[in-house]
C-alpha cells in the first residue's frame, strides 16, 4: 500500500488540514517538531521508557480460553489495553504528545473528552510533566461520567464545562479548538483520537501503533503466525488504527472496525459514521460524518460515551474506501450482552466501547474453525461503566 | 473585476474606508435578514458578509455560535441563503460575501455551489476552515466563475506563508485582528498596524480588519491604516437584542451608520 | 531468621489455628493441598502464567522522579501494584487461592471484603474459573463502596449484605466464617489478607511475595543494589508482607509498615493494631488486636476502607516483636495530603490505603541522602476513592 | 472427679439422660441470669452452659449473636460472669460450664482465669476457637486446677483426629450435630447416631449432642444413643421474647422441664 498520508495529510481523498488560518502555523510547527522527534532516537527511547515504566507496557496478549470454548469456534486473544495506567489505550497517545509538547517548550495542555478516558489520560501526563491542563467536556457528559471528572480534578486539571451545541464530545472538541485558537502560542492541544487536522491523525496513529507491533510479536511467539482476524471498536478510531496499522500490508489478516449502532442504524440514534454517514469536513479533516442533507453535523449516540462521536479518523475512511478494513456495527444491546459475557466468562470487565469489539467477535468466532485466530483489542476497562450498566438495568 | 473590486476602487477614489458588516443569515429568519440587508445598504454599509449557519462553528465566539443555532432552528440552509441573495440582487448591487464553514458547501456540491452562487449574485466566499492548502477543491470552481476567494491572515501567519496566501488571493485580504475567535477580545491597534503594513508591502489587494471590533473609536483607528473594517458580533448581538422590536432595521442601521461616519 | 511459621502456623507466639472444630479438618486439608502445590512445578507454572498473561505481571518498579525531586532527598521508586488487573495487589493472592481451590475440586468461593478490592479480585477469579461466588460485605461498606459492589455483581458474584455487629469488614469476616462452617465441604474460603487461621497467613504471604521478588530483581537491574528502605501500608498486611518477605534476611534493608492512625492514636478512631492494640485472638490467629480491657474487639476506623481492620497478620506481629520491621502510623489527613501529592506530582492516583505508605515516605525521604533508595509498595489505584476525596472536600 | 463427672454417673445410675442448657450470661442482665440459673436447676436441668459474651462470635447463629450483643451492652464481662458463678455456688451445686471464645479469657489472663474460675466454682470450660492444637495454653492452667476442658467434635472431624481429641478430653465430649453454626439447621438424627456410636467406641466419656436442638421429639430421639442433649438457641430466643414478662423464669422453666421429661 502507498504510504499515507501525503505531505498535506491526505489519506486518499480524506484527511487534510481544514483548519482556521490562526491555527495553520501551529499545525505546521507541530508537524515539523513531530518529524524531528520521529527521527530522534532519544525521543523514541524516552517514549518507550514511559510506556514501559509508567504505563506498564507491554500489555499482555491474553488467550481467552473460556470465551473461546464457550463460542465453539476460533481461538480468541485479547490485547489487554485495559491494563494500561489509567485504564485504556488513551495513555499511549497522551504520553507521546506530552513528550512532544515538552520538547516544543509548551507549558499548557488542553484536550477534549467525552467519556473522560482521554481527559484522564491527558490530566495524567500533565501532572507527570508538571503542565497546566484544561479539559473541555460537555455538560451532559460531565453529568454522566462523574467519576472521571473527579479523577481529572484530583490530577490537578481544570474541567471546563461546555454548554454550547449539544453539550457532548463534538462540542467539547469545538470548544477546545476555539480555546486553542485563542491560546495557540503557548498551548498544546492533545487530541485524543486519530482525528483532527494533519498531523494529528498520523501522529496519533503512530503513537498508538505500539498496540499492533506488540500484538504481532506476541502472536508470533504464541502461535508462530499472524492472526486471521483483528477486531477493534471505532470511535474516532485510535485503538483500531493502533491495532491495524502494523498489519496493513499483511494480506492474510482480515480486519474489522466496529462502529456503534446505538439503538440501530435505522434510527437516528447511533454513531456509525462510516456505515451511516456521508463524506464531509469537520474538526480539521475530511472523513465520514453523521450529517443531514444540508451538511449540518448530527448528534452521535451510543451507550459507550467514547464512541459517541459523529466523525471517524480519515485513515479509517480511506481503509473503508480501499476495502482494506471492513466496518461493521454493533448495537447498544449487543454491546451490553458482550460486556456481561466477558465479565462472566473471563473476569474481565471491558469498557462499553471495547464491548462492541467483543460483541462482533461473538458473532464471528462460532462460524470459524477451531484453528483460526481472532485478536480483539480490549481498549479499556469497564469500571467507568459499571454505574451505567447497573442503572439501565441492562444486565 | 467584480462588485468587490469596484467597491474598493470607488471608496479609494472618495478617500473612504470600507465598512464590512457580518450578519448570520436566517437569524431570526431569512425574511428579516433580507430587510436587514437592504437597511444596512441604505445605512452606508459597503460590503456584506452573510454568514451561512453551521452546526459546528469552531472559529466563532458565543454570539455568532448562538446566532448560527437560531438560524438553523429557523430552518436556514445554504440553498435558502442562495435564494436570499437572488432576492436581494433584484433590488441591490451591494457586494456580498458568503461567510461560513466548508461542510455545508461540500454537502451542497462544490461545483453546483459555484454555479448557483454566481447566478444568485454572490461576489465572494470566505470559508473559515479552508486554508490555503485545502482551498483548491473549491477554488477550481469559484475562481472559474469569478467569485472572489477571500483569504484570511492571522496574527500567527508568518511572512513566508503570508506571501503565498497573498499571491493567490482575490477580492481583499481579511486580517484577523486577534488571536482568538470572533467577538471575544478587544484588538490591540498597534500590533494590527504593524501586521497590516507588512501585508501591504507584498500585495496590492485591499486589506480589511475584523474580529472583535465594535466601537466607532476602534474602527476609526484601524481605518487609518486599513482599507476596511469588519463589524460582526456587535451587529449580531444588536439583532438578537432587538429581534422583537418593530424598529429592528432602524436600530441596526443607526448603529452601523454611526460606524460608517468615522470611516469617511 | 528461623523459618516461620512452625508446623501449626505459629510465628513466634503469634498466628496459629484458633478455629472452630468444624473448620479444623478443612484447614488441615487445605494445608496439605497447598503443600502439594508448593512442590508442584505445574502448579507454579500455571500460577505464573495467570500472573503474567492475565494480571499483567511483572508490574513496573517506577522511578518517581518528580516526587523524589520535590522532596529533595532519597530516590523514590514505586512498585506499581496498581497496574494489576482489577487495580490492586489483591489479585496476586486470589489467583493463587483460586488455582489451589480448582485443584482441590471446590466449586464455590466465598470471601469477605471491606473496601471491595478483595471482593472484586475474588469475583474476578471466580468468573475466570467458572465458580460460584458469594462475597460477604458489611451494610455500611456496601453503601460506601458502591462502585465495587457493582463490579462484583457484574462479575456474577452474589454480594451478601452483613448487618451483624458493626456491619463492616470485621463482621463480614465473621459472617464469611459462619457461612464457611456451614458449607465447608464444597466451599473454598478465599481470605484476602495475611490473616485467618493457619495456613492462610503463610499462604497469602507466599502468593504475595511475588511483589518483593520482582522488586529485588528490578532494583538490582536498575541500581545494582538493595533498596535502603521499604515502605508499605498495613491493613491485614498482605501487600506489606508480599513486599518485605524477600528482603527479611537482608540486614541492610530497613522496613516500615504503615498503619492507619485515622483521626489520631489518641482517639478511638484508628486502625493501628500494632501501635494502638494488644495481643489477642481473632479470626483464627493470635496477633495484635484493637480491643477493650475485657478482650472485646473494637471497631477499627480509617478513611481507607481497606485498612479498616482491627487485627493484623500474625507475621507482622512477629516482625514487630523481633524488631525486624518498624511499624509506624499515618493519619487520615496525612494520607489525603499524600494522595493529592502523588496525583499531582506523578499523575498516579493511589489508593487511599497506599497513600499511607506514600505519606510516610514523604516524611522520611527529605531526611535521607540523595543516593539513598526508598521503594514504596503502591498497592492499588485510587479510582475507587475519588468519590470519598471529593465528598469529604479533602482536597 | 468433679461435679460434671458426678452428674453423669448419677444420671447413668437412674437411666436418665443429661439435659444441658445454654444461656448467655448478662442477657438481659446478670441478675436475671442468676434467677434463670436457679429456676433452670429446679426445672430439672442437669448441667448449665453459661455463655461468656464476645464481640465476634464466629460460630454462633443470629440468636446467640444478638444475645451476646445485648449482654455486652448491659455491661457483662468475664469478671462479672465469674462473680455470678460465685453467687450461684452459694445456693447451688449444679455443674457449670463456661462457654465462649478465647479472647476474653486471654485478655483476662489464662492463669488468673483458671485460679478464679476454680474458686468461683466453675466445673468446665468450652472454648469454641481453641481446638485441640491450641488448647494447651489454657489447659496447662485449667487442667491443673481440675476444671474440665470440654472438647467439641464436629461432623467433619475424621477418625484419626477424633481419637486424638478424645484421648485428651475431660468432662464430656460435645458432638456438634450439624455442619453449621448454633441454632440454624435441624439435625439429621441418623447421621448423628452413626457418629456418636463411632465416638463411643473410642472413649468412655459421656457424649452430649448440641447445635440446633429445640424440640422434645428431637431430644428424645437423640437421647436414645447419646448421654446428653444441649439446648441453646431455643432457650435464648425464649428469654429474649419474654424478658419483660414477670413470669420469665416460669416460662423458661416450663419449656425446659418439657424437654427434661422426655430424657427420663
Ligand atoms: C476504552 C475506549 N475504547 C475506545 C474508545 C474510542 O476511541 P478510539 O476509537 O479513538 O479508540 C474510547 C474513547 O474514549 C475508550 O475510552
Ligand atoms: C489497595 C489496597 N492496599 C492495601 C490494602 C490493605 O490490605 P493488606 O494490608 O492486606 O495489603 C487493601 C485492602 O483492601 C487495598 O485495597
Amino acid at each position: 500500500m502507498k504510504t499515507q498520508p501525503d505531505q498535506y495529510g491526505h489519506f486518499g481523498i480524506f484527511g487534510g488540514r481544514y483548519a482556521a488560518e490562526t491555527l495553520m502555523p501551529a499545525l505546521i510547527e507541530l508537524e515539523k517538531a513531530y518529524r524531528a522527534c520521529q527521527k530522534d532516537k532519544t525521543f523514541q527511547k524516552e517514549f518507550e521508557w514511559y510506556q514501559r515504566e509508567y504505563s506498564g507496557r507491554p500489555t499482555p496478549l491474553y488467550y481467552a480460553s473460556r470465551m473461546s470454548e464457550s463460542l465453539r469456534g476460533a481461538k480468541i486473544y485479547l490485547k489487554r489495553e485495559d491494563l494500561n495506567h489509567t485504564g485504556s489505550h488513551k495513555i499511549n497517545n497522551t504520553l507521546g504528545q506530552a513528550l512532544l509538547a515538552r520538547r516544543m517548550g509548551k507549558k499548557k495542555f488542553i484536550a477534549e473528552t467525552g467519556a473522560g478516558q482521554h481527559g484522564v489520560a491527558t490530566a495524567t501526563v500533565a501532572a507527570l510533566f508538571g503542565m497546566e491542563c484544561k479539559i473541555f467536556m460537555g455538560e451532559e457528559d460531565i453529568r454522566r461520567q462523574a467519576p472521571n471528572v473527579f479523577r481529572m480534578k484530583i490530577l490537578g486539571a481544570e474541567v471546563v464545562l461546555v454548554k454550547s451545541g449539544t453539550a457532548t464530545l463534538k462540542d467539547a472538541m469545538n470548544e477546545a479548538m476555539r480555546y486553542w485558537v485563542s491560546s495557540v502560542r503557548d498551548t498544546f492541544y492533545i487530541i485524543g483520537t486519530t482525528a483532527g487536522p494533519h498531523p494529528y491523525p498520523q501522529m496519533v496513529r503512530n503513537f498508538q501503533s505500539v498496540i499492533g507491533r506488540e500484538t504481532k510479536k506476541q502472536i508470533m511467539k504464541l502461535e508462530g503466525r499472524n492472526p486471521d482476524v483483528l477486531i477493534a471498536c471505532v470511535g474516532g478510531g485510535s485503538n483500531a488504527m493502533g491495532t491495524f496499522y502494523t498489519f496493513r500490508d499483511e494480506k492474510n489478516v482480515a480486519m474489522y472496525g466496529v462502529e456503534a449502532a446505538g439503538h440501530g442504524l435505522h434510527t437516528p440514534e447511533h454513531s456509525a459514521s462510516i456505515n451511516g454517514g456521508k463524506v464531509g469536513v469537520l474538526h480539521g479533516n475530511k472523513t465520514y460524518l453523521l450529517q443531514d442533507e444540508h451538511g449540518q453535523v448530527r448528534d452521535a449516540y451510543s451507550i459507550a460515551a467514547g464512541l459517541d462521536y459523529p466523525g471517524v479518523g480519515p485513515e479509517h475512511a480511506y481503509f473503508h474506501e480501499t476495502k482494506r478494513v471492513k466496518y461493521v456495527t454493533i448495537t447498544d444491546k449487543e454491546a451490553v450482552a458482550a460486556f456481561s459475557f466477558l465479565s462472566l466468562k473471563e473476569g474481565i470487565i471491558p469498557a462499553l466501547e471495547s464491548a462492541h469489539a467483543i460483541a462482533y467477535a461473538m458473532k464471528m468466532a462460532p462460524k470459524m474453525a477451531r484453528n483460526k485466530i481472532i485478536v480483539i483489542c480490549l481498549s479499556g476497562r469497564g469500571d467507568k461503566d459499571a454505574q451505567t450498566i447497573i442503572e439501565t438495568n441492562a444486565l | 473585476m467584480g462588485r468587490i473590486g469596484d467597491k474598493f476602487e470607488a471608496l479609494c477614489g472618495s478617500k473612504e474606508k470600507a465598512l464590512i458588516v457580518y450578519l448570520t443569515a436566517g437569524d431570526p429568519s431569512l425574511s428579516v435578514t433580507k430587510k436587514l440587508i437592504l437597511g444596512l445598504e441604505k445605512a452606508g454599509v459597503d460590503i456584506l458578509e452573510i454568514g451561512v449557519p453551521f452546526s459546528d462553528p469552531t472559529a466563532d465566539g458565543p454570539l455568532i455560535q448562538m446566532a448560527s443555532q437560531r438560524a438553523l432552528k429557523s430552518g436556514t440552509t445554504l440553498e435558502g441563503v442562495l435564494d436570499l441573495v437572488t432576492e436581494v440582487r433584484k433590488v441591490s448591487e451591494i457586494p456580498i460575501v458568503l461567510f461560513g464553514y466548508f461542510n455545508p458547501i461540500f454537502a451542497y456540491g462544490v461545483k453546483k455551489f459555484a454555479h448557483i452562487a454566481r447566478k444568485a449574485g454572490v461576489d465572494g466566499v470566505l470559508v473559515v476552515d479552508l486554508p490555503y492548502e485545502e482551498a483548491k477543491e473549491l477554488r477550481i470552481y469559484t475562481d472559474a466563475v469569478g467569485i472572489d476567494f477571500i483569504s484570511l491572515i492571522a496574527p500567527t501567519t508568518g511572512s513566508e506563508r503570508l506571501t503565498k496566501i497573498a499571491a493567490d488571493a482575490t477580492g481583499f485580504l481579511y486580517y484577523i485582528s486577534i488571536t482568538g475567535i470572533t467577538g471575544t477580545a478587544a484588538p490591540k491597534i498597534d500590533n494590527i498596524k504593524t501586521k497590516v503594513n507588512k501585508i501591504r508591502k507584498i500585495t496590492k489587494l485591499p486589506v480589511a480588519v475584523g474580529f472583535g471590533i465594535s466601537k466607532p473609536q476602534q474602527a476609526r483607528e484601524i481605518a487609518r491604516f486599513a482599507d476596511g473594517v469588519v463589524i460582526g458580533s456587535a451587529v449580531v448581538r444588536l439583532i438578537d437584542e432587538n429581534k422583537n422590536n418593530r424598529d429592528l432595521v432602524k436600530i441596526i442601521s443607526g448603529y452601523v451608520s454611526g460606524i460608517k461616519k468615522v470611516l469617511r
Side-chain angles (χ1 to χ4, degrees), chain A, chain B:
Chain A
M1 215 173 272
K2 245 176 52 190
T3 307
Q4 299 286 348
D6 70 14
Q7 62 160 323
Y8 294 113
H10 297 105
F11 302 88
I13 65 158
F14 304 104
R17 191 135 60 183
Y18 296 82
E21 176 58 25
T22 310
L23 297 180
M24 288 301 290
L27 292 168
I28 292 165
E29 179 204 354
L30 172 64
E31 194 190 349
K32 266 198 204 131
Y34 174 56
R35 296 279 171 250
C37 286
Q38 277 186 298
K39 287 186 203 124
D40 181 347
K41 287 236 170 80
T42 321
F43 181 87
Q44 295 303 329
K45 279 242 166 80
E46 211 175 11
F47 184 35
E48 279 159 24
W49 188 89
Y50 278 102
Q51 291 193 320
R52 191 177 63 241
E53 302 294 324
Y54 185 70
S55 187
R57 303 204 70 90
T59 58
L61 184 66
Y62 167 71
Y63 171 52
S65 63
R66 296 225 316 139
M67 176 175 180
S68 304
E69 275 153 32
S70 83
L71 296 173
R72 299 159 180 280
K75 285 181 85 165
I76 296 171
Y77 283 89
L78 304 176
K79 180 60 176 163
R80 298 288 305 275
E81 294 301 302
D82 62 312
L83 291 177
N84 275 306
H85 181 52
T86 73
S88 81
H89 68 294
K90 295 284 178 193
I91 192 92
N92 299 332
N93 169 47
T94 58
L95 271 177
Q97 291 196 44
L99 284 166
L100 176 56
R102 193 170 68 167
R103 286 250 161 158
M104 292 172 73
K106 304 281 177 181
K107 296 272 177 268
K108 296 177 185 173
F109 291 168
I110 57 169
E112 83 293 341
T113 199
Q117 290 301 104
H118 175 59
V120 168
T122 302
T124 295
V125 295
L128 178 62
F129 297 123
M131 306 279 181
E132 268 182 49
C133 183
K134 276 193 198 345
I135 304 291
F136 294 84
M137 191 167 184
E139 189 171 30
E140 182 55 21
D141 287 333
I142 287 183
R143 204 188 49 70
R144 288 194 292 184
Q145 310 284 332
N148 275 340
V149 175
F150 295 160
R151 288 167 78 194
M152 290 183 254
K153 289 186 178 166
I154 286 164
L155 291 161
E158 182 191 342
V159 178
V160 182
L161 181 120
V162 175
K163 290 188 179 206
S164 60
T166 53
T168 60
L169 176 57
K170 161 175 92 78
D171 306 287
M173 191 147 178
N174 290 343
E175 208 55 37
M177 290 197 123
R178 289 183 190 115
Y179 182 86
W180 200 30
V181 166
S182 320
S183 65
V184 62
R185 287 193 173 92
D186 64 351
T187 299
F188 191 102
Y189 181 11
I190 300 190
I191 291 184
T193 188
T194 47
H198 182 64
Y200 282 102
Q202 181 187 15
M203 184 169 74
V204 175
R205 172 250 272 168
N206 290 347
F207 287 144
Q208 290 290 3
S209 65
V210 66
I211 303 174
R213 278 199 311 280
E214 282 179 10
T215 299
K216 171 116 188 163
K217 220 164 122 181
Q218 290 166 322
I219 200 74
M220 281 296 165
K221 197 168 159 201
L222 290 163
E223 298 277 355
R225 68 177 183 87
N226 274 336
D228 299 290
V229 168
L230 295 175
I231 303 177
C233 69
V234 176
S238 67
N239 86 86
M241 197 47 74
T243 307
F244 298 163
Y245 189 66
T246 305
F247 296 94
R248 70 195 178 286
D249 290 326
E250 316 256 2
K251 298 266 154 59
N252 54 356
V253 181
M255 301 177 183
Y256 294 83
V258 186
E259 296 193 307
H263 294 146
L265 286 188
H266 59 287
T267 75
E269 271 132 10
H270 63 76
S271 304
S273 320
I274 292 178
N275 284 285
K278 281 183 311 186
V279 178
V281 171
L282 181 72
H283 294 153
N285 68 87
K286 189 183 283 177
T287 187
Y288 285 92
L289 282 185
L290 300 182
Q291 51 182 319
D292 68 14
E293 50 179 328
H294 305 294
Q296 305 300 340
V297 181
R298 271 197 6 225
D299 278 348
Y301 164 82
S302 166
I303 193 172
L307 301 181
D308 200 346
Y309 180 65
V312 64
E315 194 163 9
H316 284 291
Y318 178 70
F319 277 171
H320 171 64
E321 188 124 309
T322 57
K323 301 200 161 54
R324 179 61 191 97
V325 176
K326 188 150 187 229
Y327 292 87
V328 295
T329 63
I330 282 293
T331 63
D332 278 7
K333 228 172 131 179
E334 292 168 322
V336 167
F339 175 95
S340 178
F341 178 81
L342 191 71
S343 300
L344 294 174
K345 285 294 172 200
E346 298 288 350
I348 299 171
I349 304 179
L352 270 172
E353 291 80 10
S354 323
H356 285 73
I358 303 291
Y360 196 72
M362 285 166 68
K363 289 185 173 182
M364 280 196 84
K367 297 181 204 146
M368 291 167 67
R370 297 264 177 162
N371 62 353
K372 296 288 179 187
I373 300 167
I374 295 177
V375 170
I376 306 170
C377 180
L378 192 71
S379 55
R381 61 171 135 94
D383 303 32
K384 67 181 180 62
D385 299 312
Q387 183 91 19
T388 304
I389 293 286
I390 298 281
E391 270 180 11
T392 58
N393 235 321
L395 282 186
Chain B
M1 213 152 48
R3 291 186 195 91
I4 294 173
D6 292 348
K7 173 60 82 177
F8 274 107
E9 206 157 79
L11 289 168
C12 189
S14 60
K15 297 223 145 50
E16 273 178 52
K17 297 304 172 72
L19 173 59
I20 304 170
V21 167
Y22 168 94
L23 78 184
T24 302
D27 172 36
S29 69
L30 283 174
S31 61
V32 173
T33 304
K34 185 178 163 193
K35 280 184 209 146
L36 283 166
I37 290 172
L38 300 178
L40 287 170
E41 182 180 18
K42 275 201 202 117
V45 169
D46 299 302
I47 298 174
L48 274 171
E49 276 183 14
I50 301 190
V52 181
F54 180 47
S55 52
D56 296 83
T58 50
D60 285 301
L63 287 167
I64 296 185
Q65 281 172 47
M66 281 174 330
S68 299
Q69 272 184 46
R70 289 191 300 266
L72 288 174
K73 252 203 186 141
S74 80
T76 311
T77 62
L78 176 54
E79 198 168 7
V81 177
L82 291 170
D83 287 347
L84 168 70
V85 176
T86 307
E87 285 299 302
V88 168
R89 273 291 166 260
K90 289 181 183 161
V91 293
S92 163
E93 284 300 311
I94 187 166
I96 291 179
V97 174
L98 293 194
F99 180 108
Y101 295 79
F102 189 45
N103 201 50
I105 297 173
F106 183 80
Y108 188 83
V110 279
K111 192 172 169 184
K112 178 177 160 200
F113 169 75
H115 179 68
I116 307 276
R118 169 80 294 184
K119 242 176 64 180
V122 168
D123 303 296
V125 289
L126 195 167
V127 187
V128 176
D129 55 352
L130 214 52
Y132 181 78
E133 288 83 348
E134 302 292 352
K136 204 168 33 169
E137 69 184 291
L138 178 60
R139 291 190 65 171
I140 50 170
Y141 302 109
T142 50
D143 284 0
V145 298
I147 293 178
D148 288 330
F149 187 85
I150 314 299
S151 299
L152 292 162
I153 309 286
T156 51
T157 311
S159 316
E160 200 184 323
R161 184 171 176 82
L162 173 55
T163 312
K164 277 200 295 188
I165 294 173
D168 278 3
T170 55
F172 62 95
L173 281 165
Y174 186 132
Y175 181 65
I176 300 170
S177 57
I178 53 169
T179 309
I181 50 179
T182 53
T184 48
K188 288 219 181 74
I189 306 295
D190 286 351
N191 299 352
I192 302 172
K193 187 173 173 182
T194 314
K195 194 69 173 240
V196 169
N197 288 339
K198 225 176 184 175
I199 300 172
R200 287 217 175 288
K201 282 201 191 112
I202 52 161
T203 181
K204 296 245 131 63
L205 281 181
V207 180
V209 174
F211 277 45
I213 304 170
S214 60
K215 299 201 176 62
Q217 176 59 15
Q218 295 168 323
R220 189 199 324 260
E221 290 180 41
I222 290 168
R224 292 210 179 101
F225 51 83
D227 301 302
V229 166
V230 188
I231 310 285
S233 300
V235 171
V236 168
R237 175 197 272 131
L238 218 52
I239 293 172
D240 187 44
E241 282 171 359
N242 297 285
K243 65 185 163 207
N244 298 323
N245 193 326
R246 304 159 116 237
D247 293 333
L248 171 64
V249 176
K250 219 165 150 186
I251 293 165
I252 306 301
S253 301
Y255 170 73
V256 153
S257 61
I259 307 259
K260 180 64 198 180
K261 221 179 289 169
V262 307
L263 302 179
R264 288 205 172 101

